[in-house]
Amino acid sequence: MSERTITESSVTADINDPVINIRGIGPRRAALLKKLGIRTANDVLWFFPRRYADRREICKIAELRPGRNSVVIVKIGTVSCRRSFRTGIQVCSCEAEDGTGTLSVIWFNRKGLGSILTEGTSVALFGLPSFCEGRIEFSNPEFEIVKDASGIAGFTGIVPVYPLTAGLPERWLRKFIDSILENYLPLVKEYLPQSIIEKRGLPDIREALRGMHRPESESHWKYCRDRLAYEEFLFLQTALVLRKERLKRYGRAARLTAEGPYFSAFMSSLPFELTPSQRQVISRIFEDTKNGHPMSRLLQGDVGSGKTVISLALAAAGADAGIQTAIMAPTEVLAEQLYVQAQKFLSKTGIKCALLKGGLNRSEKSRIIDSIREGRIKVVVGTHAMIQDGVEFSRLGTVIIDEQQRFGVMQRGEMLSRGKTPHLLMMSATPIPRTISACLFGDMDISVIRERPKGRQKIETRLIDLTKIRDLLQFMIDESAAGGRTYWICPRVEEDGENNIASVEKRYKFLKKHLCPLGIGFIHGKMDSEQKSRELEKFRAGEIKVLVGTTVLEVGVDVPEASVVVIESPERYGLSQLHQIRGRVGRGSRRGVCLLLVDKIEEEAADRLKILLATDDGFRIAEADHLLRGPGKISGYEQHGASEFRTADIYRDSVLLERASEDARSLVSDEKALLNERAFKDKLDNYLNRGSIVSIKA
Ligand code: ADP
Ligand code: MG
């Protein structure tokens, strides 16, 4: 047995060894590890804790306090185990003491405890003590037998907590990771350029990985984590800067100008004056596009600032140049709205538009697809699926992406790969702080619209206590009589027995009961898009005056008569998101009202919400949101499955992002030096393939 181990680790160990070749891992464990995304030893090294449990302080029984997770080291008495006849659950319990006091411990369904724990054994317990009539109890604590002081080294201190899957015991997983750290970590090779490691004072990759799994202290963890977050940004930034350089050097795209007949017809048919900001953005776009270089521009502007018109102006100029324009929205509902606007403004100039959506019948769909391929349709509106489904264009020259924040950074390249190097305009209503957007969109130019079309009124925002809900109902009745309509936003779709969070289901019933004559509808993400469009259509037409929903309503939905938005449990959302939601009202001539409906919330949360009462500048709100998050701390660390980054967080790590952006520029500026960094380049290529951000080859 021991001989086998020696040969395995000294001769054949390779960082890419499948875990099944590792001693102690059979097919069953290998299958469970695979569920966690782990196939190789290297995957284990990059399988980071979900969070960390702080067990640095070991205390005495006399020092235990209610509500505080603690570690105590105790001697235990006799353990008695029995099976409950009623439930079949095995219960083991014992008394324990440490010289300062006694406590009782109880475990449920932990087989074999009776034989591991014998009277007089010293054990470290970790758990939440409960206090009842002067007795202290630990229920289901984690424990470790104390043989000597080093025996509990992995139990106390900062203890990693890994994502688990059923069938893999936590203790086993920790030990397994320990063995991988010992046998495989030394095989990992550094890939960041030495110059960067020195300049930024970074730990090398081996230390960084070790520190993620086995941090020695909070500052050590931060030092290690920051390197990994920084490097994610560095790869992204380098890729973006390279893309920009290459587009500038090799990219070709249609020349677009303001001189053509379609464009002039479009401009003269607009029913309103463009705002100075809108004009300015349009002229910047033509500066970019008049020379036949592909434009890459991010257009940021608060909800209702009039971004769509700008995108249609670009499409009109495209029609003059004989190219097609694809306009993409993140959802079908939004795509439909865009299409309505495109029809309204473009069709009368003679530009043919089409909407590609699910639910079209076969012949309709193939008719549209044929006309796109033959170039008769100049403007195609749809969701992201339009690219994935491989719709063929005769001459796709411009790609416009609306509500860009719903698409990932990584997806950007994929969108471009079809039309070679089309012009790209991305529009976003999520105002990210300038420093961050400049980095995250390092490959793009950025325009910001800060003013709104004239005649728009400020949205009045107020905090309302849940006890005032009757007054609120009356207000909605009055509002409806005056021609207004109400959105009512809840954090959940269905009721949840455990807590009292408002759900669409519950509110819908409640409003139906009290405001039935107004007509109540509901909309949420679990409905299919046809149902959603139907509800929205009824609301738009005024058949229903109140629409209860989740944040599916957050982005882009445009019903000019909507005048009131009620947001329940607003403390559960970020400020920027709340700002987005309130932007759904006050889009027509009627003033908008946003009511934040709160039930007993903490003062701190209320103060945060008051920022919304004080300003309606989305950028200031984004900055405030950003500052409130503060820098990362080990105790607050949670790895989110949804993030595009493994460790980095664009808001929390904005300082790292700025550094990475600076370093990426200097790396790319010295191409020769960059080519010599083989390991870095290999990783970068890998990274590029993953997200194919660089869609053109040099
Ligand atoms: P967003 O930036 O949120 O996409 P939209 O482009 O949807 O904003 O514009 C919101 C509404 O304002 C639309 O109904 C649009 O027709 C109208 N609009 C756009 N520009 C102007 C303008 N300059 N003057 C008046 N109304 C405008
Ligand atoms: Mg919009």
Side-chain angles (χ1 to χ4, degrees):
M1 187 82 173
S2 60
E3 262 181 34
R4 234 184 89 212
T5 325
I6 291 167
T7 26
E8 266 182 11
S9 58
S10 58
V11 180
T12 61
D14 181 289
I15 192 79
N16 293 317
D17 275 350
V19 284
I20 192 142
N21 294 355
I22 295 169
R23 190 170 61 99
I25 305 289
R28 199 183 71 87
R29 290 254 151 101
L32 292 172
L33 287 168
K34 196 170 143 199
K35 273 198 195 164
L36 294 170
I38 298 174
R39 287 158 201 275
T40 66
N42 192 50
D43 294 340
V44 179
L45 295 174
W46 287 88
F47 178 73
F48 295 149
R50 186 164 51 84
R51 60 186 182 84
Y52 300 85
D54 189 348
R55 298 185 195 163
R56 276 175 292 183
E57 249 177 86
I58 299 179
C59 65
K60 296 289 183 197
I61 292 179
E63 296 163 344
L64 288 172
R65 293 287 167 268
R68 205 167 67 195
N69 276 308
S70 311
V71 183
V72 285
I73 295 181
V74 294
K75 268 201 175 25
I76 58 171
T78 317
V79 179
S80 69
C81 293
R82 62 189 171 76
R83 186 173 289 279
S84 155
F85 283 116
R86 207 164 44 81
T87 59
I89 292 173
Q90 168 145 52
V91 183
C92 292
S93 60
C94 70
E95 296 293 310
E97 58 86 19
D98 72 349
T100 72
T102 61
L103 50 76
S104 27
V105 192
I106 182 161
W107 282 282
F108 300 98
N109 269 347
R110 297 274 283 256
K111 281 200 203 96
L113 270 189
S115 53
I116 308 173
L117 300 177
T118 50
E119 185 171 348
T121 313
S122 238
V123 293
L125 300 173
F126 173 74
L128 188 65
S130 66
F131 289 71
C132 181
E133 292 172 357
R135 280 159 35 92
I136 306 175
E137 186 178 276
F138 269 74
S139 169
N140 263 341
E142 283 191 52
F143 70 93
E144 182 86 28
I145 295 172
V146 183
K147 295 202 185 79
D148 52 66
S150 69
I152 57 165
F155 184 79
T156 57
I158 298 171
V159 178
V161 180
Y162 291 95
L164 277 180
T165 186
L168 277 186
E170 196 167 350
R171 289 151 71 86
W172 176 83
L173 189 61
R174 271 188 215 145
K175 295 231 154 87
F176 172 60
I177 290 174
D178 276 336
S179 77
I180 297 284
L181 287 173
E182 186 171 329
N183 295 321
Y184 288 89
L185 188 59
L187 304 176
V188 177
K189 297 207 172 58
E190 183 55 73
Y191 42 80
L192 288 187
Q194 196 52 38
S195 58
I196 284 192
I197 291 196
E198 277 163 24
K199 176 175 172 199
R200 297 298 181 191
L202 305 175
D204 86 359
I205 182 62
R206 287 173 295 273
E207 181 171 1
L209 290 173
R210 179 182 298 286
M212 282 303 279
H213 292 282
R214 303 291 175 258
E216 286 159 18
S217 62
E218 171 139 10
S219 61
H220 179 243
W221 169 78
K222 197 167 174 338
Y223 172 60
C224 294
R225 193 212 77 104
D226 280 3
R227 132 124 206 190
L228 296 172
Y230 163 87
E231 96 177 32
E232 283 192 274
F233 287 145
L234 184 69
F235 283 120
L236 173 67
Q237 293 300 305
T238 310
L240 295 181
V241 176
L242 272 174
R243 174 171 177 267
K244 186 172 189 175
E245 288 280 303
R246 289 178 188 174
L247 270 184
K248 217 162 56 187
R249 236 184 281 172
Y250 308 103
R252 286 285 165 274
R255 281 170 217 282
L256 303 184
T257 67
E259 264 94 66
Y262 283 126
F263 183 79
S264 310
F266 168 80
M267 290 300 274
S268 53
S269 74
L270 283 179
F272 42 70
E273 288 259 319
L274 290 180
T275 63
S277 272
Q278 284 172 319
R279 286 180 185 284
Q280 200 185 356
V281 173
I282 290 176
S283 69
R284 281 303 305 269
I285 286 177
F286 286 127
E287 265 169 51
D288 289 356
T289 56
K290 69 179 179 210
N291 295 322
H293 286 299
M295 165 185 77
S296 267
R297 183 167 291 277
L298 171 69
L299 173 56
Q300 284 186 296
D302 226 340
V303 282
S305 58
K307 298 183 292 295
T308 311
V309 182
I310 295 176
S311 68
L312 297 178
L314 179 58
D320 283 322
I323 59 166
Q324 291 167 300
T325 300
I327 307 182
M328 283 183 279
T331 66
E332 291 227 334
V333 167
L334 295 177
E336 268 168 41
Q337 285 190 9
L338 273 175
Y339 180 65
V340 170
Q341 294 217 45
Q343 282 282 62
K344 187 161 125 199
F345 295 120
L346 293 177
S347 292
K348 45 185 161 181
T349 66
I351 298 173
K352 281 195 107 167
C353 307
L355 173 66
L356 265 183
K357 59 169 183 177
L360 289 176
N361 70 37
R362 259 229 167 116
S363 68
E364 278 175 313
K365 188 158 184 183
S366 68
R367 197 166 39 80
I368 294 179
I369 287 184
D370 287 346
S371 329
I372 296 172
R373 195 180 45 240
E374 286 153 19
R376 271 174 288 145
I377 290 177
K378 290 288 184 275
V379 177
V380 186
V381 183
T383 63
H384 184 199
M386 138 162 103
I387 288 289
Q388 280 163 345
D389 295 350
V391 175
E392 258 181 75
F393 286 82
S394 120
R395 212 179 149 209
L396 177 60
T398 303
V399 173
I400 294 169
I401 301 172
D402 196 14
E403 307 298 355
Q404 169 283 325
Q405 70 281 359
R406 294 283 192 94
F407 297 102
V409 178
M410 304 298 179
Q411 280 172 310
R412 217 186 290 163
E414 187 192 329
M415 313 249 185
L416 289 182
S417 56
R418 296 211 148 244
K420 290 183 190 133
T421 55
H423 297 297
L424 172 66
L425 178 69
M426 298 202 298
M427 303 191 286
S428 170
T430 304
I432 11 182
R434 226 187 146 75
T435 46
I436 295 179
S437 58
C439 297
L440 217 47
F441 298 92
D443 56 335
M444 313 195 71
D445 299 306
I446 301 180
S447 298
V448 179
I449 310 186
R450 290 199 86 140
E451 75 204 324
R452 285 163 204 244
K454 266 194 238 109
R456 255 345 124 63
Q457 300 183 32
K458 199 175 162 215
I459 299 164
E460 190 185 329
T461 304
R462 264 184 283 162
L463 273 178
I464 304 239
D465 200 275
L466 195 58
T467 54
K468 302 263 170 60
I469 198 163
R470 300 275 153 180
D471 300 343
L472 176 54
L473 297 182
Q474 186 55 49
F475 175 68
M476 286 162 67
I477 293 171
D478 297 345
E479 189 65 19
S480 153
R485 278 167 224 169
T486 304
Y487 292 117
W488 191 300
I489 313 288
C490 303
R492 323 179 45 94
V493 177
E494 283 153 13
E495 273 179 64
D496 171 352
E498 278 175 35
N499 49 35
N500 228 351
I501 299 165
S503 67
V504 173
E505 212 172 59
K506 183 169 128 191
R507 271 312 165 219
Y508 174 72
K509 281 190 209 145
F510 173 83
L511 293 169
K512 191 104 187 154
K513 188 165 138 209
H514 294 279
L515 301 178
C516 194
L518 301 190
I520 320 286
F522 63 90
I523 185 170
H524 55 72
K526 293 188 178 168
M527 293 156 69
D528 65 39
S529 69
E530 208 154 304
Q531 288 174 307
K532 280 190 272 190
S533 311
R534 213 175 314 127
E535 284 299 288
L536 207 54
E537 219 29 70
K538 280 198 237 162
F539 185 67
R540 196 189 303 280
E543 278 169 51
I544 52 180
K545 300 281 192 325
V546 179
L547 189 58
V548 188
T550 53
T551 51
V552 287
L553 288 171
E554 167 192 348
V555 165
V557 173
D558 190 13
V559 177
E561 291 82 7
S563 54
V564 181
V565 58
V566 178
I567 308 174
E568 276 204 69
S569 307
E571 70 280 2
R572 305 178 70 87
Y573 304 94
L575 293 181
S576 290
Q577 198 181 8
L578 290 169
H579 181 65
Q580 291 278 327
I581 301 172
R582 80 173 161 184
R584 299 302 107 224
V585 299
R587 294 170 77 82
S589 52
R590 217 176 150 64
R591 61 93 185 79
V593 178
C594 169
L595 302 171
L596 306 171
L597 192 56
V598 297
D599 190 14
K600 309 173 199 87
I601 61 169
E602 285 168 16
E603 209 168 310
E604 204 176 306
D607 283 346
R608 193 173 67 98
L609 293 174
K610 282 182 187 147
I611 295 172
L612 287 174
L613 276 49
T615 176
D616 65 349
D617 180 336
F619 284 84
R620 280 182 53 192
I621 290 166
E623 299 278 358
D625 235 358
H626 176 205
L627 292 177
L628 285 170
R629 278 187 230 212
K633 287 189 81 158
I634 199 164
S635 52
Y637 174 80
E638 279 271 355
Q639 206 181 341
H640 298 290
S643 169
E644 287 188 281
F645 298 102
R646 206 192 283 266
T647 38
D649 175 322
I650 51 167
Y651 292 102
R652 289 212 155 124
D653 300 321
S654 55
V655 174
L656 299 177
L657 181 57
E658 280 175 58
R659 281 182 203 157
S661 169
E662 184 189 320
D663 295 345
R665 274 166 228 282
S666 80
L667 277 175
V668 173
S669 71
D670 188 353
E671 276 212 55
K672 252 202 219 117
L674 183 60
L675 287 175
N676 283 332
E677 296 288 349
R678 291 294 287 274
F680 181 74
K681 251 202 87 257
D682 284 352
K683 277 256 170 191
L684 185 64
D685 287 345
N686 224 331
Y687 188 85
L688 295 180
N689 287 338
R690 177 153 68 101
S692 59
I693 288 177
V694 179
S695 53
I696 50 162
K697 298 247 154 38

